[in-house]
């Protein structure tokens, strides 16, 4: 009768009004009933997103009824409220209090606490990403046993499968296995992440990790496995920043697997949409060369050389221009390639070597317009290196040539 008269209409539906009801009848209720009312009101406030009031109810229960069997659940829910408020430090403090009270075998009941304590243990000592900064992560891993963290994360996966929390746990497992060098487990964790959790957590970073794993397969010449993984990344992360990178990797796998037509078709699609790196353009040029399409190969190699120079990869650019000279000796393309080789040496701060090569071009082709270009590049090289008197002399020679 006291319950029906004093609290039943208010406990869930109208928590503020229930304050009056509780105060009227609390002395007549058993402690278990009061703690249950306080706990359910805390839950009701949380569902209404009135987190401060929810914390107040749980705190009162914890302080006034320390022997209640609702204490662990109340501490846990307090931590959840703090986490929802964005106060991760207080949330973590509550979860730590919880685990001081709860035996290890019962901790699976509290997946949020398992995850956030595991994450904190992992990140202790580093704010850097494991993939990006392994040295700092070494410190963090060495302070806490990875085995303990892994167990907690696996417990989360057991009790909360296919949830956002599971996604975070699987993602953290990938990072830990990558850090500890357990690459087979990392790969398995990644595939599980792709199959079950991709809709929840950090698709761009997950795609980045997947490409790194695929690159490992590629370097080991396990092209089919790499190809399968890159294709899976495209399927699972169609809007990730790494989509075009994954397509490039697929084309490279096709090329290495001898499927040059498929590779070339994919490269061509990519070339139409964006400016490709020198390495990719070189691969396209190599395919054209193998197929005997020399005109297309030369055009692509020229673009590759330019891309390499923009990237500051002068040695790679020199090799490209040497390919052009080999494919098409005594042509306009080869003459221009000689110029570009000289300019690459100048770009590498090998000024004298580059200028010597330009002067050789002038000597070999004195009546060709390439001589004037070489002369201009000599003068310009001196000018940009602040050797003004020598630049002036070379500009005067250029005038005399014309």
């Amino acid at each position: 009768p006291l319950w029906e008269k004093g609290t039943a209409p208010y406990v869930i539906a109208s928590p503020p009004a229930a304050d009056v009801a509780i105060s009227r009848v609390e002395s007549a209720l058993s402690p278990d009933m009061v703690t249950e009312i306080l706990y359910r009101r805390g839950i009701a406030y949380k569902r209404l997103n009135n987190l401060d009031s929810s914390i107040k109810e749980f705190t009162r229960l914890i302080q006034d009824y320390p022997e209640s069997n609702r204490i662990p659940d109340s501490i846990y829910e307090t931590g959840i409220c703090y986490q929802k408020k964005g106060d991760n430090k207080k949330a973590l403090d509550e979860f730590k209090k919880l685990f001081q009270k709860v035996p290890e075998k019962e901790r699976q009941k509290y997946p949020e606490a398992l995850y956030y304590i595991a994450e904190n243990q992992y990140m202790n000592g580093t704010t850097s990403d494991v993939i990006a900064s392994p040295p700092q992560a070494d410190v963090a891993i060495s302070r806490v046993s990875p085995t303990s963290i892994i167990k907690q994360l696996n417990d989360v996966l057991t009790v909360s499968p296919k949830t956002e929390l599971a996604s975070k746990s699987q993602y953290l497992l990938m990072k830990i296995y990558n850090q500890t060098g357990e690459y087979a487990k990392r790969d398995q964790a990644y595939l599980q992440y792709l199959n079950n959790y991709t809709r929840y957590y950090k698709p761009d970073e997950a795609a980045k990790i997947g490409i790194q794993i695929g690159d490992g397969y590629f370097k080991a010449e396990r092209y089919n496995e790499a190809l399968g993984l890159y294709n899976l990344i495209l399927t699972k992360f169609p809007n990730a920043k790494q989509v075009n990178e994954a397509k490039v990797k697929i084309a490279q796998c096709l090329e290495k697997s001898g499927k040059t037509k498929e590779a070339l078709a994919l490269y061509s699609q990519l070339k139409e949409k964006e400016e490709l790196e020198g390495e990719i353009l070189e691969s396209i040029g190599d395919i054209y060369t193998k197929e005997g399409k020399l005109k297309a190969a030369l055009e692509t190699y020229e673009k590759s050389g330019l891309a390499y120079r923009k990237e500051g990869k002068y040695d790679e650019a020199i090799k490209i221009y040497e390919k052009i000279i080999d494919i098409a000796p005594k042509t306009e393309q080869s003459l221009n390639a000689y110029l570009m080789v000289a300019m690459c040496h100048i770009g590498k701060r090998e000024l004298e070597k580059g200028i010597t090569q330009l002067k050789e071009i002038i000597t070999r082709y004195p009546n060709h317009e390439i001589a004037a270009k070489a002369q201009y590049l000599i003068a310009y090289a001196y000018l940009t290196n602040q050797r003004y008197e020598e630049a002036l002399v070379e500009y005067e020679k250029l005038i005399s040539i014309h």
Side-chain angles (χ1 to χ4, degrees):
L2 288 170
W3 173 274
E4 292 175 358
K5 180 179 179 181
T7 67
Y10 307 110
V11 172
I12 301 300
S14 304
D19 288 336
V20 179
I22 287 288
S23 63
R24 288 208 311 263
V25 301
E26 185 171 352
S27 60
L29 298 175
S30 69
D32 286 347
M33 183 171 287
V34 175
T35 56
E36 190 64 22
I37 292 170
L38 291 172
Y39 178 76
R40 290 181 180 278
R41 289 179 66 202
I43 294 296
Y45 277 127
K46 190 182 81 167
R47 289 174 180 170
L48 293 169
N49 206 35
N50 189 342
L51 300 175
D52 289 331
S53 294
S54 182
I55 291 170
K56 181 180 176 182
E57 295 298 319
F58 293 130
T59 301
R60 182 184 171 195
L61 189 159
I62 293 164
Q63 291 176 347
D64 293 353
Y65 299 92
E67 302 303 319
S68 171
N69 59 7
R70 278 297 193 183
I71 293 291
D73 292 344
S74 297
I75 296 173
Y76 178 62
E77 294 296 344
T78 302
I80 296 295
C81 287
Y82 279 125
Q83 189 262 326
K84 287 179 177 292
K85 283 166 63 72
D87 194 336
N88 291 329
K89 183 179 183 304
K90 286 187 178 179
L92 186 64
D93 288 342
E94 295 299 322
F95 294 148
K96 287 179 178 178
K97 287 179 194 174
L98 172 66
F99 280 8
Q100 288 171 358
K101 291 183 175 292
V102 175
E104 185 174 349
K105 64 182 180 180
E106 296 181 16
R107 292 178 183 175
Q108 280 193 350
K109 292 166 57 180
Y110 308 104
E112 293 273 356
L114 283 168
Y115 173 77
Y116 281 103
I117 287 178
E119 182 186 53
N120 178 258
Q121 289 174 332
Y122 173 74
M123 296 302 293
N124 184 28
T126 178
T127 56
S128 301
D129 185 82
V130 173
I131 302 295
S133 304
Q136 290 92 333
D138 287 338
V139 177
I141 287 292
S142 65
R143 290 180 181 174
V144 181
S145 167
T147 304
S148 169
I149 301 173
I150 290 167
K151 182 183 183 305
Q152 289 175 213
L153 295 173
N154 280 321
D155 284 345
V156 175
L157 295 174
T158 300
V159 298
S160 297
K162 298 187 179 181
T163 63
E164 182 176 0
L165 197 62
S167 180
K168 292 180 178 180
S169 299
Q170 195 72 65
Y171 181 78
L172 191 51
L173 280 172
M174 287 189 294
K175 295 172 76 173
I176 291 171
Y177 286 135
N178 187 75
Q179 174 59 35
T180 58
E182 298 175 88
Y183 299 124
K185 290 183 178 179
R186 176 203 64 186
D187 297 354
Q188 183 181 12
Y190 186 76
L191 290 173
Q192 290 173 348
Y193 178 86
L194 287 179
N195 289 327
N196 296 317
Y197 309 115
T198 52
R199 62 187 181 277
Y200 292 119
Y201 197 60
K202 295 187 178 180
D204 287 338
E205 291 188 29
K208 178 182 175 183
I209 294 174
I211 286 175
Q212 290 176 340
I213 295 171
D215 289 349
Y217 290 144
F218 187 87
K219 290 177 183 177
E221 299 183 1
R222 294 162 62 180
Y223 302 124
N224 287 336
E225 290 169 275
L227 185 62
L229 186 54
Y230 295 140
N231 276 315
L232 194 55
I233 289 168
L234 290 183
T235 302
K236 296 293 185 178
F237 306 115
N239 298 316
K241 296 176 182 177
Q242 293 81 4
V243 164
N244 283 338
E245 184 179 359
K247 289 181 179 179
V248 167
K249 302 288 185 180
I250 290 170
Q252 290 175 325
C253 287
L254 291 170
E255 180 188 353
K256 291 292 185 180
S257 302
K259 299 176 181 178
T260 54
K261 289 185 178 179
E262 293 94 327
L264 189 57
L266 184 52
Y267 278 137
S268 298
Q269 290 177 13
L270 291 166
K271 192 167 59 171
E272 291 175 3
K273 293 180 180 179
E274 63 175 311
E275 186 175 335
L276 297 178
E277 295 178 356
E279 181 182 1
I280 308 307
L281 290 165
E282 181 179 3
S283 296
I284 299 172
D286 290 343
I287 294 174
Y288 281 136
T289 302
K290 290 176 184 176
E291 294 186 349
K293 300 176 180 177
L294 299 185
K295 183 179 179 181
L298 289 170
E299 291 175 354
T300 307
Y301 282 143
E302 286 177 339
K303 293 178 182 177
S304 173
L306 178 60
Y308 274 136
R309 284 165 51 212
K310 287 182 178 179
E311 296 163 20
K313 298 179 179 179
Y314 295 109
D315 287 332
E316 289 85 348
I318 289 171
K319 291 178 181 177
I320 290 295
Y321 293 125
E322 288 173 347
K323 287 184 179 182
I324 293 173
I325 293 167
D326 288 339
I327 291 173
K330 299 180 181 180
T331 63
E332 293 297 319
Q333 288 99 328
S334 66
L335 290 178
N336 189 64
Y338 282 122
L339 281 181
M340 293 301 102
V341 169
M343 291 306 296
C344 286
H345 285 296
I346 293 171
K348 290 174 63 179
R349 300 188 183 281
E350 297 173 350
L351 181 62
E352 300 304 329
K353 184 173 183 179
I355 287 175
T356 297
Q357 290 179 334
L358 290 170
K359 288 180 177 178
E360 288 176 358
I361 293 171
I362 295 169
T363 301
R364 291 170 63 185
Y365 306 100
N367 299 318
H368 195 284
E369 64 178 16
I370 198 74
K373 290 181 181 179
Q375 186 61 54
Y376 170 78
L377 291 174
I378 292 171
Y380 183 74
Y382 279 133
L383 180 64
T384 54
N385 283 273
Q386 299 181 358
R387 292 169 62 169
Y388 301 119
E389 291 184 2
E390 291 160 294
L392 184 59
V393 171
E394 298 301 331
Y395 278 125
E396 289 174 349
K397 289 182 183 178
L398 178 61
I399 293 171
S400 67
I401 290 175
H402 280 287

